[in-house]
Amino acid sequence: MSYKFDDVIDRSNNFSAKWSEMDKKYGTNDLLPMWIADMDFETAPCIINELRNRLEQGIYGYTTRPASYNKSIVNWVKRRYGWQIKPEWLMFSPGVIPTISILIQEMTKENDKIMIQEPVYSPFNSVVNQNKRDLVISPLVKIEDGNYIMDYEDIESKIKDVKMFILCNPHNPVGRVWTREELIKLGDICMKHNVLVISDEIHSDIILKNHKHTPFASISEEFAQNSITCMAPTKTFNIAGLQMSQVILPNENYYKILDDAFIRLDIRRNNAFSLVATQAAYNEGEEWLEEYLKYLEGNIDFAINYIKENIPSLKVRKPEGTYLLWVDFSYTGLSDDEVCKLLVEKGKVALNSGNSFGIGGKGYQRINLACPRSMVEEGLNRIKKAIIG
Ligand SMILES: Cc1ncc(COP(=O)(O)O)c(C=O)c1O
């Protein structure tokens, strides 16, 4: 079956944050949005069909998850990443960031130290600060063989007294899909210093050719017991507005702690639509995902070639995963403020400024390429107009 990834869909009536909230950040909605990590593609037909069936039932009362729900996740995790998990390790959560925030509250105390690697998805930083824990940042700025690598020496030198490490695997925004060897090195340091790993694996299905996602907890029983994994179908299938995710907790004590917190908050049920969408995605969505990944890879190659040929002052490396391109604008000779102003006022395009990802983001912009090829080209034309004229 071929899917219509080239179709441009009008999202003006879609109540879309990506399309209708730019005025809050950029002062206008008259921009081409290539910012928030949300796609401009219709989701998989199998999901739309299940949602339509559910909608037509006309009753949307409290839900109860059938055993087939966790089974669909267990099978997906086994098929896609070769990790055999158990249904009883799974917990529903309305979102990855809410899960991380609650885990910080439940597993650490005020002023405890929590380590992250910046640049990284900015809520990692804000959720630690908002919960009044102390951030310890290991910058992700070392480059080896042309790509970002973890700075283990830096991590080890700062990890004493750290209670929790929040890992972004695969990494937003630098696009690394961490290898098993890299994760073992990191996990060994965390074990040695008694640091709990929270592995945010929301981008784990968006993996490009020749790369493979390794769930941190799949590496060993030790790592499984010393970590909590967050995954979701939301990025993969463009269904973040349905608000669901799953937490994988092989450690029984951690499971109980989080379950008790969710009971207190009364957030243990899916909404009527997230329930059927999750099952449809994981049971029937694989063919759509494979087609989507091919199309995405085409977009990424197109963008990299375009930049090399038309805007050579921008430096870019191909991501290994995610649909996000992390582009170095520092060789343009423009300051970050100048770049942001030019992109909005002259180019009329919304990108995420590298500074918003924290240390190591200076000089960079993040470009979301999960849109029809014609929009990728239009966005790049706009970036060229902003930077070159
Ligand atoms: C690394 C990462 N984690 C979490 C999220 C958001 O997850 P949720 O909407 O489930 O809180 C995003 C969204 O872009 C992300 O990139």
Side-chain angles (χ1 to χ4, degrees):
M1 188 164 175
S2 74
Y3 303 99
K4 298 185 203 144
F5 296 114
D6 274 328
D7 284 6
V8 175
I9 299 167
D10 176 9
R11 295 186 70 185
S12 55
N13 289 326
N14 195 224
F15 303 107
S16 152
K18 184 181 184 186
W19 284 80
S20 306
E21 257 181 37
M22 289 183 284
D23 52 347
K24 290 190 194 157
K25 196 177 169 85
Y26 307 94
T28 172
N29 271 329
D30 182 26
L31 304 174
L32 186 70
M34 301 182 93
W35 63 311
I36 292 185
D38 160 319
M39 315 200 234
D40 290 309
F41 302 120
E42 211 173 74
T43 189
C46 59
I47 298 176
I48 299 174
N49 287 340
E50 283 303 317
L51 287 173
R52 194 173 282 130
N53 290 340
R54 186 67 189 86
L55 178 74
E56 282 174 3
Q57 290 173 8
I59 298 181
Y60 315 114
Y62 295 119
T63 62
T64 185
R65 271 184 297 279
S68 55
Y69 184 93
N70 278 356
K71 195 139 198 285
S72 72
I73 301 171
V74 169
N75 291 342
W76 181 267
V77 169
K78 175 77 180 152
R79 276 203 311 280
R80 301 296 299 182
Y81 332 117
W83 184 23
Q84 185 65 65
I85 58 169
K86 296 188 177 154
E88 59 270 25
W89 297 350
L90 285 167
M91 200 179 300
F92 165 80
S93 165
V96 170
I97 295 303
T99 303
I100 295 177
S101 186
I102 294 168
L103 286 172
I104 290 172
Q105 291 162 22
E106 296 298 320
M107 313 292 287
T108 67
K109 299 191 297 293
E110 240 177 79
N111 299 119
D112 272 354
K113 292 182 178 173
I114 299 182
M115 187 178 268
I116 63 171
Q117 293 167 299
E118 286 188 352
V120 76
Y121 181 57
S122 62
F124 279 27
N125 178 311
S126 52
V127 93
V128 172
N129 276 326
Q130 284 156 359
N131 281 301
K132 301 191 174 60
R133 272 53 170 177
D134 292 348
L135 263 176
V136 179
I137 296 170
S138 178
L140 190 56
V141 291
K142 252 183 134 172
I143 306 282
E144 203 174 273
D145 296 331
N147 219 337
Y148 283 90
I149 55 159
M150 295 196 192
D151 189 340
Y152 299 105
E153 271 177 32
D154 184 73
I155 293 171
E156 189 128 37
S157 72
K158 293 175 179 166
I159 207 160
K160 190 171 164 330
D161 300 330
V162 166
K163 297 282 182 259
M164 179 183 275
F165 187 106
I166 310 176
L167 170 69
C168 196
N169 174 37
H171 192 276
N172 167 16
V174 310
R176 280 298 320 278
V177 174
W178 303 116
T179 63
R180 193 180 159 81
E181 291 68 35
E182 288 174 304
L183 293 172
I184 289 175
K185 269 191 176 176
L186 176 72
D188 283 346
I189 297 175
C190 291
M191 288 298 303
K192 185 170 141 197
H193 294 273
N194 219 5
V195 177
L196 173 66
V197 176
I198 308 300
S199 191
D200 176 342
E201 305 192 3
I202 198 168
H203 293 279
S204 56
D205 294 315
I206 306 171
I207 306 294
L208 299 174
K209 257 199 320 253
N210 303 326
H211 297 282
K212 185 179 175 313
H213 174 66
T214 307
F216 176 82
S218 71
I219 289 174
S220 67
E221 176 59 16
E222 264 190 319
F223 286 9
Q225 291 298 321
N226 188 45
S227 66
I228 296 170
T229 305
C230 303
M231 289 185 179
T234 49
K235 293 274 163 241
T236 318
F237 293 97
N238 203 25
I239 48 179
L242 296 177
Q243 298 198 304
M244 71 288 224
S245 71
Q246 57 272 3
V247 196
I248 309 178
L249 303 108
N251 182 311
E252 276 178 32
N253 295 335
Y254 299 158
Y255 192 100
K256 177 152 182 16
I257 291 170
L258 191 62
D259 198 34
D260 285 349
F262 283 4
I263 290 171
R264 281 199 304 280
L265 292 163
D266 195 14
I267 53 167
R268 292 206 303 166
R269 290 183 199 277
N270 285 78
N271 68 57
F273 297 102
S274 71
L275 194 157
V276 294
T278 299
Q279 293 201 107
Y282 287 147
N283 287 336
E284 303 164 61
E286 210 150 5
E287 184 191 297
W288 180 92
L289 174 60
E290 289 300 336
E291 289 298 309
Y292 158 70
L293 288 173
K294 280 188 216 143
Y295 189 87
L296 172 67
E297 188 121 18
N299 276 0
I300 291 173
D301 290 339
F302 176 86
I304 291 175
N305 286 334
Y306 181 104
I307 289 171
K308 282 194 177 136
E309 282 170 21
N310 298 287
I311 334 176
S313 58
L314 306 189
K315 303 292 171 218
V316 62
R317 59 178 64 80
K318 189 168 173 174
E320 299 170 344
T322 80
Y323 45 72
L324 308 162
L325 202 61
W326 183 237
V327 185
D328 185 355
F329 278 62
S330 63
Y331 294 92
T332 58
L334 300 162
S335 70
D336 286 341
D337 285 350
E338 285 167 332
V339 169
C340 291
K341 196 166 152 51
L342 283 168
L343 288 169
V344 171
E345 291 178 9
K346 202 165 159 201
K348 301 219 168 294
V349 59
L351 311 183
N352 287 97
S353 167
N355 282 323
S356 63
F357 299 90
I359 292 173
K362 189 170 177 320
Y364 281 81
Q365 296 282 332
R366 192 191 75 176
I367 310 178
N368 178 347
L369 295 176
C371 56
R373 188 82 34 91
S374 61
M375 276 169 59
V376 172
E377 186 168 10
E378 173 63 22
L380 292 165
N381 286 337
R382 290 178 183 221
I383 295 168
K384 181 179 169 203
K385 185 172 171 204
I387 301 301
I388 296 187

